[in-house]
Amino acid sequence: MSDSGSAALAVEGLVAGYGGVIALDGVSISAGTAAITAVLGANGAGKTTLLRAVSGMIRPRRGRVLLGGTDLAGRSPEYMVRAGIAHVPEGQGVIPELTVEENLRIGMMSWPAGSKGRLSPGRSRAERAAALDEAYERFRPLADRRRKLAATLSGGERQMLVIARALLARPRVLLLDEPSLGLAPRIMAQVMDLVVRLSREHGLTIVLVEQNARSALAVADHGVVLNLGRVVASADARTLAADVALRHHYLGF
């Protein structure tokens, strides 16, 4: 992985936790532009806390979160989205009472507005309609369900919806927390293929947290292994996948 000076996203010496519990203890990682960085480790290693701290959902106690060299640590989730960091939490967090399209429109709420709340130039109704069309083109199953309640979607469709909604915020960095959780193997493979396409074809920097280390390393460029809130390994994905001792002790395959 690239150093913090050239990385799209860099985390330096991050300390974060809940109450008296330290979940991240001086974590430093960097994610290269248009690359996939897999963050791996057992339950309780600090993976989800890392994404929550980067996206502003929890406030770090110490350390820096650098986006393009600017320290954003401690900013609000709304600020982070406007800055270019989109976070897809685990659990397929759709709003079930809203339609598919209403869920998608939430992704555009971070777009800047003009004076007195009017849409600014370049953020017209036409551009918003074009952005929705692009989402439906990329996620074909959602196009047929756009007027349906999100509650009626399958697990795979819900995962598509939350990723599509995050992409409508026009992020530079996409944080994905367990996107394959609870999905059938065939759907999981489709989600992983989508992650690769977003990186390769659209230039997104992706930080991928996955319990399934084998699948994550198969698509990642770089991998970071956490254990009890600390980085225990950081290397290119092939190197980590080939390290038998590391796989046995930390990755479970």
Side-chain angles (χ1 to χ4, degrees), residues 2-227:
S2 55
D3 61 41
S4 61
S6 59
L9 175 73
V11 172
E12 297 181 348
L14 208 63
V15 177
Y18 310 92
V21 177
I22 298 296
L24 297 175
D25 188 7
V27 168
S28 296
I29 71 167
S30 59
T33 302
I36 301 170
T37 300
V39 180
L40 311 170
N43 287 332
K47 306 184 301 296
T48 291
T49 301
L50 173 63
L51 296 195
R52 287 170 61 85
V54 169
S55 67
M57 293 179 70
I58 63 172
R59 189 180 183 90
R61 300 179 186 185
R62 287 197 302 279
R64 302 201 297 170
V65 176
L66 299 168
L67 181 65
T70 300
D71 184 14
L72 304 179
R75 298 283 193 169
S76 70
E78 295 77 17
Y79 188 98
M80 292 300 202
V81 171
R82 290 195 298 271
I85 298 176
H87 182 192
V88 178
E90 66 175 296
Q92 301 167 359
V94 301
I95 301 175
E97 300 83 6
L98 300 182
T99 66
V100 166
E101 185 149 312
E102 287 168 340
N103 269 273
L104 289 176
R105 288 183 180 278
I106 291 172
M108 295 185 281
M109 289 178 66
S110 63
W111 288 17
S115 61
K116 299 182 181 178
R118 292 192 294 269
L119 296 179
S120 61
R123 296 302 189 187
S124 64
R125 291 180 186 274
E127 184 174 354
R128 289 169 185 257
L132 285 172
D133 287 344
E134 181 184 332
Y136 289 133
E137 181 65 25
R138 183 180 288 151
F139 301 91
R140 294 294 182 87
L142 299 182
D144 297 332
R145 312 295 300 277
R146 67 179 75 191
R147 306 295 178 212
K148 301 290 187 182
L149 293 179
T152 67
L153 300 182
S154 68
E157 289 167 343
R158 289 185 180 211
Q159 195 59 265
M160 289 182 196
L161 179 55
V162 291
I163 294 174
R165 186 176 64 196
L167 294 176
L168 279 167
R170 299 290 191 251
R172 296 152 61 189
V173 176
L174 182 63
L175 310 177
L176 293 174
D177 195 355
E178 303 278 7
S180 69
L181 187 69
L183 300 182
R186 179 178 64 85
I187 305 299
M188 182 178 76
Q190 292 175 0
V191 169
M192 289 300 183
D193 180 61
L194 169 64
V195 170
V196 172
R197 292 203 317 272
L198 291 173
S199 171
R200 305 292 184 266
E201 297 173 15
H202 301 279
L204 266 179
T205 296
I206 296 176
V207 180
L208 172 66
V209 161
E210 259 296 337
Q211 194 67 35
N212 190 323
R214 189 192 300 272
S215 295
L217 290 174
V219 301
D221 301 288
H222 199 95
V224 176
V225 181
L226 297 182
N227 184 55

